[in-house]
Amino acid sequence: AQKVTQAQTEISVVEKEDVTLDCVYETRDTTYYLFWYKQPPSGELVFLIRRNSFDEQNEISGRYSWNFQKSTSSFNFTITASQVVDSAVYFCALSEVPGGGADGLTFGKGTHLIIQP
Amino acid sequence: EAQVTQNPRYLITVTGKKLTVTCSQNMNHEYMSWYRQDPGLGLRQIYYSMNVEVTDKGDVPEGYKVSRKEKRNFPLILESPSPNQTSLYFCASSGLQGNVRVNEKLFFGSGTQLSVL
């Protein structure tokens, strides 16, 4: 069975600091997909990234970057120069087929990120 | 605009009073799914549907029903709501190719906050 662990329940940093959100996953499949979603205070789920298990290249998008390491089964998310608008709950998720699989995404419990001005 | 629409956004009801949360998508997606989000538990799948008249249980189906009579709609039905069904509910959809979803992501609705008194 697949499992996603986000050990950090809540992180609080001061604006402009860098912050890394950890995600560790478990799966028996060799082909799988990892996701990050952002849930701002308004409640909707915002897709951030999807990464295939066969592509271990790290990705950078503006102030966001993702470090995928199969050797440690981790898919960590770093925000550089954090801003107050980054305050949200962030979910890491795993699926064993593209897009989500018949069984859906398996989500971690989320990390509540608080950026203080 | 491509979107998944849930209604209502907020709902307060009493134990035992049947209710329906509607979900509609305008992307001609085959796959639709319902999740519930609870503090400390993340998102868990309730039911999913691979196409019209094809539905199946997710991880936490007890106390819920769904139907998929039309491709665009996937209502969630609580025949006799109980207080432990107080939660934030999300509907999601995705395209399918064969039995595999090919979209990069699930499209989520804005959520329905349900309170059962």
Side-chain angles (χ1 to χ4, degrees):
Chain A
Q2 49 193 14
K3 182 180 178 182
V4 176
T5 301
Q6 293 180 257
Q8 304 150 311
T9 305
E10 184 174 289
I11 300 174
S12 181
V13 300
V14 177
E15 197 172 21
K16 297 184 183 177
E17 287 185 13
D18 298 347
V19 58
T20 295
L21 309 182
D22 297 333
C23 174
V24 174
Y25 61 91
E26 295 176 26
T27 178
R28 293 177 187 170
D29 274 21
T30 55
T31 300
Y32 51 89
Y33 300 82
L34 295 162
F35 302 77
W36 276 95
Y37 280 84
K38 174 182 179 180
Q39 186 176 43
S42 51
E44 73 272 20
L45 284 164
V46 179
F47 169 81
L48 296 178
I49 190 172
R50 168 186 181 259
R51 174 62 70 202
N52 306 329
S53 57
F54 42 87
D55 180 4
E56 286 193 72
Q57 272 195 331
N58 291 331
E59 182 157 337
I60 298 174
S61 176
R63 296 183 297 105
Y64 294 171
S65 63
W66 289 270
N67 182 7
F68 177 30
Q69 291 195 338
K70 287 180 79 170
S71 60
T72 56
S73 297
S74 64
F75 186 45
N76 296 337
F77 172 34
T78 297
I79 301 174
T80 303
S82 60
Q83 301 175 2
V84 173
V85 293
D86 295 327
S87 296
V89 179
Y90 291 86
F91 291 98
C92 181
L94 166 71
S95 170
E96 292 166 348
V97 294
D103 292 329
L105 295 172
T106 296
F107 283 86
K109 294 181 180 180
T111 297
H112 184 198
L113 177 62
I114 300 168
I115 310 296
Q116 300 180 20
Chain B
E1 181 188 353
Q3 60 184 3
V4 178
T5 303
Q6 290 178 233
N7 280 297
R9 183 75 176 86
Y10 300 95
L11 179 58
I12 301 174
T13 189
V14 295
T15 299
K17 186 176 182 182
K18 180 179 179 180
L19 66 91
T20 299
V21 184
T22 63
C23 175
S24 179
Q25 48 92 7
N26 62 0
M27 295 166 280
N28 201 36
H29 283 165
E30 294 86 355
Y31 179 90
M32 297 186 75
S33 179
W34 277 102
Y35 289 84
R36 63 177 286 175
Q37 181 182 359
D38 302 288
L41 297 176
L43 285 93
R44 296 175 294 169
Q45 190 180 48
I46 303 170
Y47 268 96
Y48 65 92
S49 169
M50 301 287 276
N51 213 326
V52 176
E53 302 292 1
V54 180
T55 64
D56 210 343
K57 296 178 181 179
D59 297 321
V60 288
E62 295 77 20
Y64 303 96
K65 285 176 58 177
V66 293
S67 70
R68 189 86 183 276
K69 296 177 182 173
E70 305 166 283
K71 197 172 186 179
R72 63 182 291 124
N73 296 323
F74 190 45
L76 179 69
I77 304 157
L78 284 72
E79 295 271 3
S80 183
S82 61
N84 64 12
Q85 292 179 298
T86 292
S87 186
L88 177 59
Y89 291 86
F90 286 99
C91 179
S93 75
S94 179
L96 275 177
Q97 190 174 67
N99 260 358
V100 176
R101 284 199 289 287
V102 295
N103 280 5
E104 285 197 344
K105 61 183 180 180
L106 287 178
F107 289 80
F108 282 90
S110 299
T112 296
Q113 180 64 58
L114 171 65
S115 296
V116 183
L117 305 177

